[in-house]
């Protein structure tokens, strides 16, 4: 008898393993296993599948003293462990009711029906624990053995007469506990192979993200707003990832897109942000969109595709998003989420490096312009002429101006630091203003209001071009001109205001400055504006108000958004 029981259990286990292999190859099971949201219909369908597995196990069992030795527990418990409460309890109800009606009046029919319900409850209760611990085989074995022990206890308590129940339990207990527990381990392991396959696919996609990022590196160095380079970037993503389309946005609009599908070939560039991009940027995390509201730029596209979006970062802030169109109803969206997230992070790193390179280039320009300005023959000639005029009548004043001039040149040549204390910047500006004041005397009125307790780090040479512009192209255009410099600090911001009494910066220059189309003759203003926006963000460029009474230029430095650079590093 025992040999027959073992043969039957082995055959049943083999059958269940084959069924498990078939199920794990079906799209429905894979979608259910990987779906980040499941509906009630899917749960009911899966409950029926596992319920039928338990029914089949009852039919293929072998009779022992009126009891049926079977592998029903595997169908019921695996439904609860894999599918959760609805699936587990649904399978238990189907399997339990069938067991009762399969042998109505049998002395173990009620006991086995009850034990089937209990095994379903145990599977549901164990589900979260087993998933949290990656479905450890020893845990599955022990929990399954415990469920089978409960079944034997229920048979002893419910089945009548008791002597027959005891005799039956003595025969079936050991083989059913051992083989069903082992069968559960094998059955769950087959389903776990889906996740191993998923991990392998994710690893391939992450490697693909690295490969794409490496290929795109030369093009990302120019930043997000170079159209030709971003065309190459999106083209490379599309060619390598073989998805339906790729879209890159900033915080306001679509910057670039690439697609191979006719449905996506409408001109999207420059259009306002779609809802998925707004969510990605607003929530600062990977998001998935399977539909959109009517009127959204992707409303029609999302009827055929799913969009996976991830945020792009620079200097700790979200600057845009990358959106990838994937096939609708894919078995698993997680691999695409991992791919797009990894790609976005790598791109963000490259954009950070591009910004750093841009800063170095801008600093070199700033240093060059400042040096060029200071050793400009006209400036040097005017400064020396002024000092010469003081030599006979006011030799002490001449001596002071020579010291100021040497300080000025020393500050100009000592430009190896990227960020400096604001007082070092004001010291340089003060030296320049002293020389100009000595030259223009009563024609130039200076009004400096800088608190003594003002402290923060600012980009070097960020103030000098603004002050020089206020003197040369503002105040000194009148017979008597005034230049005012005022600085204020709050907990979040240092604000520096430079005002002159000239005729006002022309509006076309201000407009060109904001559009970054200022010509080379105004490179000082343009350079400062670009550096501020590049370091602190697009909202921190120069603020200019101009009228026929003069110009007012405001610089804002956020005190908590400094750039981390080695103070001793040479940025040349």
């Amino acid at each position: 008898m025992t040999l027959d029981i073992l043969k039957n259990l082995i055959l049943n286990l083999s059958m269940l393993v084959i069924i498990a292999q078939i199920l794990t190859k079906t799209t429905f099971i894979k979608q259910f296993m990987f779906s980040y949201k499941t509906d009630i219909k899917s749960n009911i369908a899966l409950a029926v599948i596992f319920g039928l597995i338990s029914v089949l196990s009852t039919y293929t069992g072998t009779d022992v003293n009126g009891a049926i030795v079977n592998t029903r527990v595997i169908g019921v418990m695996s439904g609860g462990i894999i599918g959760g409460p609805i699936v587990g309890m649904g399978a238990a109800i189907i399997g339990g009711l069938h067991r009762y009606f399969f042998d109505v009046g049998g002395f173990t029919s009620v006991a086995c029906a009850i034990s089937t319900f209990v095994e379903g409850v145990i599977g549901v209760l164990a589900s979260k624990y087993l998933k949290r611990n990656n479905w450890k085989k020893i845990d599955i074995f022990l929990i399954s053995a415990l469920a089978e022990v409960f079944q034997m206890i229920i048979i002893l308590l419910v089945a009548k007469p008791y002597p027959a129940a005891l005799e039956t339990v003595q025969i079936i207990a050991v083989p059913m506990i051992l083989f069903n527990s082992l069968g559960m381990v094998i059955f769950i392991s087959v389903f776990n192979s889906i996740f191993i396959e998923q991990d392998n696919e994710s690893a391939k996609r992450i490697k693909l993200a690295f490969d794409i990022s490496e290929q795109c590196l030369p093009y990302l160095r120019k930043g997000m707003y170079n159209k030709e380079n971003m065309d190459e970037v999106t083209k490379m993503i599309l060619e390598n990832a073989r998805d339906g389309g790729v879209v890159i946005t900033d915080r306001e609009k679509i910057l670039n897109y690439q697609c191979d599908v006719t449905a996506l070939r409408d001109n999207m560039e420059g259009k306002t942000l779609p809802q998925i991009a707004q969510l990605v940027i607003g929530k600062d995390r990977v998001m998935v969109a399977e539909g959109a509201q009517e009127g959204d730029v992707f409303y029609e596209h999302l009827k055929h595709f799913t969009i996976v979006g991830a945020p792009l970062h620079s200097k700790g802030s979200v600057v845009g998003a990358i959106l990838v169109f994937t096939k609708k109803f894919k078995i698993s969206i997680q691999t695409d989420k991992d791919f797009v997230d990894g790609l976005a992070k790598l791109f963000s790193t490259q954009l950070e490096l591009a910004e750093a390179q841009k800063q170095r280039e801008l600093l070199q320009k700033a240093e060059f312009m400042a040096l060029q300005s200071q050793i400009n023959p006209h400036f040097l000639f005017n400064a020396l002429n002024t000092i010469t005029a003081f030599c006979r009548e006011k030799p002490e004043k001449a001596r002071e101006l020579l010291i100021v001039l040497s300080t000025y040149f020393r500050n100009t040549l000592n430009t190896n630091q990227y960020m400096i204390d604001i007082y070092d910047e004001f010291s340089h500006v003060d030296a320049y203003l002293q020389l100009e004041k000595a030259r223009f005397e009563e024609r130039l009125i200076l009004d400096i209001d800088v608190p003594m307790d003002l402290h923060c780090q600012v980009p070097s040479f960020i103030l000098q071009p603004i002050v020089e512009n206020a003197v040369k192209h503002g105040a000194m255009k009148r017979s008597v001109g005034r230049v005012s410099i005022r600085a204020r600090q709050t907990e979040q911001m240092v604000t520096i205001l430079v005002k002159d009494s000239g005729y006002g910066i022309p509006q076309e220059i201000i407009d060109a400055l904001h559009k970054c189309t200022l010509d080379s003759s105004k490179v000082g203003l343009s350079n400062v504006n670009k550096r501020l926006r590049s370091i602190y963000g697009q909202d921190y460029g120069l603020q200019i108000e101009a009228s026929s009474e003069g110009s007012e230029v405001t610089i804002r430095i956020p005190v908590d958004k400094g750039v981390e650079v080695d103070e001793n590093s040479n940025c040349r």
Side-chain angles (χ1 to χ4, degrees):
M1 180 64 74
T2 303
L3 184 60
D4 291 337
I5 293 173
L6 294 178
K7 286 181 179 179
N8 180 265
L9 287 173
I10 291 172
L11 288 173
N12 272 267
L13 288 180
S14 301
M15 177 190 66
L16 291 179
V17 169
I18 294 172
I19 291 173
Q21 289 283 3
I22 295 172
L23 288 175
T24 55
K25 301 302 180 184
T26 62
T27 301
F28 170 72
I29 294 296
K30 287 184 176 181
Q31 285 181 334
F32 185 91
M33 296 283 283
F34 293 126
S35 181
Y36 54 92
K37 57 179 182 178
T38 55
D39 53 34
I40 189 66
K41 290 182 180 179
S42 298
N43 280 277
I44 292 173
L46 202 60
V48 171
I49 291 174
F50 281 99
L52 291 176
I53 290 174
S54 67
V55 169
L56 182 61
S57 297
T58 300
Y59 277 117
T60 56
T62 184
D63 185 274
V64 176
N65 295 344
I68 300 173
V69 179
N70 60 82
T71 54
R72 186 171 52 251
V73 64
I74 295 177
V76 173
M77 284 193 65
S78 60
I81 292 171
I82 294 170
I86 296 176
V87 176
M89 293 313 301
I93 291 171
I94 294 171
L97 289 175
H98 174 267
R99 174 63 186 89
Y100 176 77
F101 289 110
F102 178 77
D103 184 25
V104 177
F107 91 102
T108 61
S109 60
V110 175
C112 289
I114 294 173
S115 65
T116 301
F117 296 138
V118 172
E119 288 162 350
V121 172
I122 292 174
V124 170
L125 295 177
S127 175
K128 289 186 178 180
Y129 170 79
L130 291 174
K131 288 180 180 179
R132 188 168 58 247
N133 291 275
N134 297 318
W135 291 358
K136 288 183 180 178
K137 294 178 181 178
I138 185 64
D139 291 338
I140 296 172
F141 184 90
L142 293 175
I143 292 172
S144 302
L146 178 64
E148 284 294 87
V149 169
F150 273 112
Q151 180 177 10
M152 300 305 147
I153 294 172
I154 293 171
I155 291 174
L156 290 173
L157 293 175
V158 177
K160 303 298 181 183
Y162 178 77
L166 180 59
E167 181 183 357
T168 301
V169 168
Q170 288 174 340
I171 296 172
I172 69 173
V174 174
M176 284 191 67
I177 291 172
L178 290 177
F179 275 84
N180 278 334
S181 299
L182 180 62
M184 275 293 296
V185 172
I186 298 172
F187 193 85
I188 295 295
S189 296
V190 173
F191 275 86
N192 196 34
S193 66
I194 297 178
F195 293 103
I196 296 173
E197 180 185 339
Q198 169 80 1
D199 290 341
N200 291 335
E201 182 64 23
S202 292
K204 290 179 182 178
R205 296 285 277 179
I206 293 299
K207 182 182 182 300
L208 179 61
F210 276 103
D211 292 341
I212 293 174
S213 179
E214 185 176 5
Q215 294 177 42
C216 293
L217 176 59
Y219 302 100
L220 290 171
R221 286 173 179 162
K222 296 293 184 180
M224 295 172 58
Y225 292 92
N226 187 298
K227 186 181 186 310
E228 293 182 359
N229 286 345
M230 293 310 290
D231 281 342
E232 291 297 324
V233 168
T234 50
K235 183 179 179 181
M236 285 182 183
I237 297 173
L238 198 63
E239 288 178 350
N240 285 274
R242 298 179 182 178
D243 287 307
V246 181
V247 176
I248 294 178
T249 79
D250 62 9
R251 295 183 64 91
E252 297 177 354
K253 61 184 180 299
I254 294 174
L255 296 178
N256 203 282
Y257 75 101
Q258 199 80 236
C259 59
D260 280 338
V261 183
T262 305
L264 297 178
R265 286 179 182 164
D266 296 337
N267 183 23
M268 292 188 287
E269 190 172 331
K271 290 189 178 180
T272 56
L273 284 182
Q275 184 181 19
I276 176 62
Q278 295 176 25
L279 289 172
V280 167
I281 293 171
K283 295 181 179 294
D284 190 14
R285 61 185 176 89
V286 180
M287 303 286 289
V288 177
E290 295 182 338
Q293 295 178 351
E294 191 170 355
D296 188 275
V297 66
F298 292 148
Y299 174 71
E300 291 295 330
H301 309 325
L302 283 170
K303 292 180 179 178
H304 310 284
F305 295 92
T306 296
I307 295 179
V308 181
L312 295 170
H313 295 87
S314 182
K315 298 185 292 295
S317 301
V318 180
V319 296
I322 179 169
L323 311 175
V324 175
F325 290 76
T326 67
K327 293 179 182 178
K328 201 81 168 176
F329 308 120
K330 289 187 73 173
I331 289 173
S332 171
I333 202 69
Q334 187 59 46
T335 54
D336 291 311
K337 290 174 68 177
D338 292 341
F339 167 69
V340 178
D341 187 30
L343 195 62
K345 288 176 179 176
L346 290 169
F347 275 24
S348 296
T349 301
Q350 300 299 351
L351 290 173
E352 290 274 10
L353 294 174
E355 285 293 336
Q357 177 63 29
K358 184 178 179 181
Q359 285 301 306
R360 284 192 290 271
E361 293 173 358
L362 288 172
L363 179 59
Q364 287 177 344
K365 286 183 181 179
E367 293 169 352
F368 175 75
M369 289 301 300
L371 182 62
Q372 185 183 52
S373 173
Q374 308 323 318
I375 62 176
N376 183 292
H378 293 291
F379 176 82
L380 184 59
F381 177 78
N382 290 333
L384 291 176
N385 266 354
T386 301
I387 294 171
T388 300
F390 281 105
C391 283
R392 292 184 179 178
E393 298 180 2
K394 299 179 181 179
E396 287 298 319
K397 182 66 174 177
R399 179 176 177 277
E400 290 177 8
L401 291 177
L402 282 173
I403 294 174
V404 169
L405 185 61
S406 66
T407 300
Y408 196 59
F409 276 97
R410 183 169 62 250
N411 289 340
T412 299
L413 296 172
N414 186 24
T415 58
N416 63 326
Q417 290 182 320
Y418 185 67
M419 303 290 288
I420 62 174
D421 189 85
I422 193 170
Y423 264 106
D424 292 333
E425 184 71 9
F426 275 124
S427 173
H428 186 63
V429 170
D430 182 64
Y432 168 78
L433 288 175
Q434 286 190 56
L435 291 169
E436 293 293 65
K437 175 65 177 175
R439 175 188 171 194
F440 293 111
E441 296 184 323
E442 300 303 320
R443 285 190 59 207
L444 177 60
I445 301 171
L446 300 176
D447 181 11
I448 313 297
D449 182 9
V450 179
M452 295 298 294
D453 59 347
L454 185 65
H455 291 290
C456 75
Q457 293 286 302
V458 298
S460 58
F461 290 111
I462 206 70
L463 188 57
Q464 162 69 22
I466 305 301
V467 174
E468 186 173 338
N469 189 76
V471 173
K472 291 172 60 177
H473 304 292
M476 290 301 94
K477 292 296 182 179
R478 295 184 183 270
S479 57
V480 177
R482 178 185 294 272
V483 172
S484 302
I485 302 175
R486 188 173 74 244
R488 292 290 182 269
Q489 182 173 3
T490 64
E491 291 183 2
Q492 293 82 25
M493 195 80 62
V494 170
T495 304
I496 304 169
L497 187 146
V498 178
K499 185 176 181 180
D500 66 69
S501 59
Y503 293 102
I505 299 174
Q507 187 61 43
E508 59 267 21
I509 292 180
I510 298 175
D511 293 339
L513 180 72
H514 293 317
K515 295 177 182 178
C516 298
T517 58
L518 203 58
D519 62 51
S520 58
S521 64
K522 303 294 187 299
V523 70
L525 282 176
S526 177
N527 183 270
V528 170
N529 188 58
K530 287 179 180 178
R531 291 179 70 202
L532 286 170
R533 295 174 72 176
S534 180
I535 294 170
Y536 302 112
Q538 295 297 310
D539 296 332
Y540 289 91
L542 292 176
Q543 294 182 351
I544 301 177
E545 295 182 9
S547 68
S548 59
E549 302 299 320
S551 302
E552 184 176 288
V553 180
T554 302
I555 297 175
R556 296 178 301 142
I557 307 292
V559 296
D560 60 343
K561 290 184 68 173
V563 179
E564 296 182 6
V565 238
D566 184 353
E567 291 185 359
N568 297 317
S569 65
N570 192 319
C571 296
R572 295 178 185 274

